Amino acid sequence: TQLLEQSPQFLSIQEGENLTVYCNSSSVFSSLQWYRQEPGEGPVLLVTVVTGGEVKKLKRLTFQFGDARKDSSLHITAAQPGDTGLYLCAGQRAGNMLTFGGGTRLMVKP
Amino acid sequence: GAGVSQSPSNKVTEKGKDVELRCDPISGHTALYWYRQSLGQGLEFLIYFQGNSAPDKSGLPSDRFSAERTGGSVSTLTIQRTQQEDSAVYLCASSGSVATNEKLFFGSGTQLSVL
């Protein structure tokens, strides 16, 4: 059973377009993390959101944590080919244990 | 070391053989985690260590899977009598502690293929 549902699973867009990836759950998390993973590598942490309603920006990436701390979104403005990769959300509950979503595979074409 | 190191990077084995995967965490990190990732999918939690102790082994898929950590450093994940469904990327991560929101640093993984 996937506790964290990510959508869409796959996304192919042209350079310059905007996109939003969603991460939804029926469970409450103490925090939610977003990772980016490239082929042959491990995931790399992009951001951690902790407070319900929190918004964090990382250059062209905007992350939001839902008010109820059950869902999150990642918005990329003016996507570039370098943004291509697998985006993973992960919810944190007890201690430092993470529950990962199924991932969104993004391809940005030049 | 500078990062989490995993070996081998690739392992091809025959069904029924045992395999041992190694993880060398970042020096000084007391917490170590093993995850499994099927092709292009999310990560499935297997086990974590705080020091040499593994408080929660419930994520291990079956009793063919075991893990140990010695000296608070290197960890090995052993899969006995491998099956084709064990084929996946096995990722190791470490963090300074198991405190909430401690950043996890991942290795590049071991790609296991069971023929």
Side-chain angles (χ1 to χ4, degrees), chain B residues 28-39:
Chain B
H29 278 192
T30 60
L32 185 148
Y33 313 80
W34 283 99
Y35 286 86
R36 179 168 72 173
Q37 184 175 30
S38 298
L39 187 61

Side-chain angles (χ1 to χ4, degrees), chain B residues 8-99:
Chain B
S9 55
N10 284 282
K11 177 69 177 179
V12 180
T13 190
E14 294 179 348
K15 177 182 173 182
K17 300 283 189 181
D18 297 352
V19 295
E20 193 171 276
L21 312 180
R22 175 188 168 107
C23 173
D24 202 339
I26 291 173
S27 178
H29 278 192
T30 60
L32 185 148
Y33 313 80
W34 283 99
Y35 286 86
R36 179 168 72 173
Q37 184 175 30
S38 298
L39 187 61
Q41 299 299 308
L43 278 65
E44 173 190 4
F45 171 76
L46 298 179
I47 190 170
Y48 84 97
F49 289 88
Q50 176 57 31
N52 293 333
S53 173
D56 183 2
K57 300 181 180 179
S58 62
L60 294 175
S62 75
D63 58 9
R64 296 185 295 104
F65 287 72
S66 63
E68 65 175 14
R69 189 180 186 197
T70 55
S73 182
V74 172
S75 175
T76 55
L77 176 68
T78 302
I79 309 174
Q80 295 179 308
R81 304 181 302 282
T82 52
Q83 303 294 313
Q84 289 182 331
E85 61 262 28
D86 299 334
S87 296
V89 175
Y90 289 81
L91 289 160
C92 175
S94 70
S95 64
S97 73
V98 292

Side-chain angles (χ1 to χ4, degrees), chain A residues 86-102:
Chain A
L86 179 67
Y87 289 83
L88 295 157
C89 66
Q92 187 170 49
R93 286 188 282 190
N96 212 20
M97 301 306 106
L98 297 176
T99 299
F100 280 83

